[in-house]
Amino acid sequence: MKSLESQTIPILLILVAAFIGACAQYFFKQGALKIIEVPIYKNWYFLAGLVSFFWVLVLMTLSFRYGGLMMVVYPAYGTTYIWALLISHFFDKSPVNLFQVSGVFCIILGIGLISFQKTSS
């Protein structure tokens, strides 16, 4: 089994993919607000969401191509929820409460526990 050190590049790629994925969700939300007044092919937010998800797919594929282990890399994609919370807070001015902050810590703890693997010497 590959060591955690060899997972650095795949994890970094998937973290970027997670951020872009959260941005894509934000774009889709903004596009959905304009869906009645703007046709989909002219809805730049909707199109930005599609392009963003394309790049998520590319980065995920690269992450696995560079040797990312699914049990290590995929849980890191769970940070999408954290990025979405931050994007929502800073761009939509959504309030963040103690339960949401607690959830963020649970996500981080869960990712750490799921991704943990014992390296044999």
Side-chain angles (χ1 to χ4, degrees):
M1 189 167 265
K2 297 179 183 183
S3 69
L4 287 176
E5 291 81 31
S6 67
Q7 298 299 293
T8 304
I9 291 175
I11 288 172
L12 290 174
L13 288 170
I14 209 74
L15 289 174
V16 172
F19 175 74
I20 294 172
C23 289
Q25 291 296 333
Y26 178 76
F27 293 143
F28 279 140
K29 178 190 175 214
Q30 296 302 314
L33 297 174
K34 299 178 185 300
I35 203 84
I36 299 295
E37 57 201 52
V38 179
I40 286 182
Y41 64 90
K42 289 184 178 179
N43 190 328
W44 295 110
Y45 282 113
F46 183 79
L47 296 174
L50 289 175
V51 170
S52 297
F53 272 130
F54 167 79
W55 284 108
V56 168
L57 176 64
V58 168
L59 290 168
M60 254 188 195
T61 303
L62 285 173
S63 179
F64 292 125
R65 174 68 179 100
Y66 283 111
L69 298 172
M70 190 159 206
M71 66 178 258
V72 174
V73 170
Y74 199 73
Y77 189 72
T79 61
T80 302
Y81 299 108
I82 299 169
W83 293 119
L85 178 98
L86 293 171
I87 289 169
S88 176
H89 177 69
F90 287 109
F91 290 102
D92 284 343
K93 306 299 182 217
S94 298
V96 176
N97 62 41
L98 183 60
F99 289 110
Q100 292 166 325
V101 173
S102 299
V104 166
F105 285 115
C106 288
I107 290 170
I108 293 169
L109 178 64
I111 290 169
L113 291 174
I114 290 171
S115 300
F116 179 75
Q117 68 177 0
K118 199 173 189 179
T119 54
S120 56
S121 38

